[in-house]
Amino acid sequence: MDKVLIRQLAIETIIGIYEWEKKLHQTLLIDLDMAWDNRLAAASDSYENALCYETVSNRLTALITENPIELIETVAEMIAHCLQDEFNVPWVKVVVMKPGAIPHAVSVGVEIERGSI
Ligand SMILES: Nc1nc2c(c(=O)[nH]1)N=C([C@H](O)[C@@H](O)CO)CN2
């Protein structure tokens, strides 16, 4: 399966369940595996046929910073819906990590897969 990948996309936003978390920005790190047939883009060497990782990154950053969110699960679902609905990605794996969220762990996170090939 061909994929387009994004690793460690950093999004600073208001995220968390506690009152103190609603008053500051925290960084989320996003990894994306997006199923995409890359053969057409390669054969034509045409951007038109590519899934643009820059456009995707910009859109997801805008989406996730629009409103405060409590759970990283919600972030993952929002991202999966957006990629399927707006970018026609047939299958996606989304990993959302929240570094420094708890003491004694470097990071915590969730992973979801949505769609089918
Ligand atoms: N499964 C989850 N557990 C927790 C979340 C979350 O988003 N998903 N969030 C918190 C707090 O916001 C935490 O990050 C603050 O340290 C706790 N558990």
Side-chain angles (χ1 to χ4, degrees), residues 58-113:
N58 290 339
R59 174 65 186 119
L60 295 182
T61 300
L63 178 69
I64 298 308
T65 56
E66 219 165 54
N67 294 301
I69 301 170
E70 294 212 333
L71 298 176
I72 57 175
E73 286 86 342
T74 309
V75 172
E77 287 291 352
M78 288 171 68
I79 289 173
H81 277 125
C82 176
L83 291 171
Q84 293 191 290
D85 295 350
E86 298 181 26
F87 292 92
N88 297 317
V89 171
W91 172 91
V92 64
K93 181 167 89 176
V94 182
V95 178
V96 178
M97 301 301 295
K98 190 175 180 183
I102 58 170
H104 312 302
V106 172
S107 196
V108 294
V110 296
E111 174 179 314
I112 63 171
E113 293 183 27

Side-chain angles (χ1 to χ4, degrees), residues 26-76:
Q26 299 183 80
T27 303
L28 298 175
L29 295 175
I30 316 289
D31 284 348
L32 298 173
D33 288 25
M34 298 170 284
W36 193 261
D37 188 345
N38 291 321
R39 286 173 294 193
L40 200 54
S44 58
D45 194 28
S46 169
Y47 172 79
E48 294 295 310
N49 298 317
L51 175 61
C52 176
Y53 46 74
E54 184 181 14
T55 306
V56 166
S57 300
N58 290 339
R59 174 65 186 119
L60 295 182
T61 300
L63 178 69
I64 298 308
T65 56
E66 219 165 54
N67 294 301
I69 301 170
E70 294 212 333
L71 298 176
I72 57 175
E73 286 86 342
T74 309
V75 172

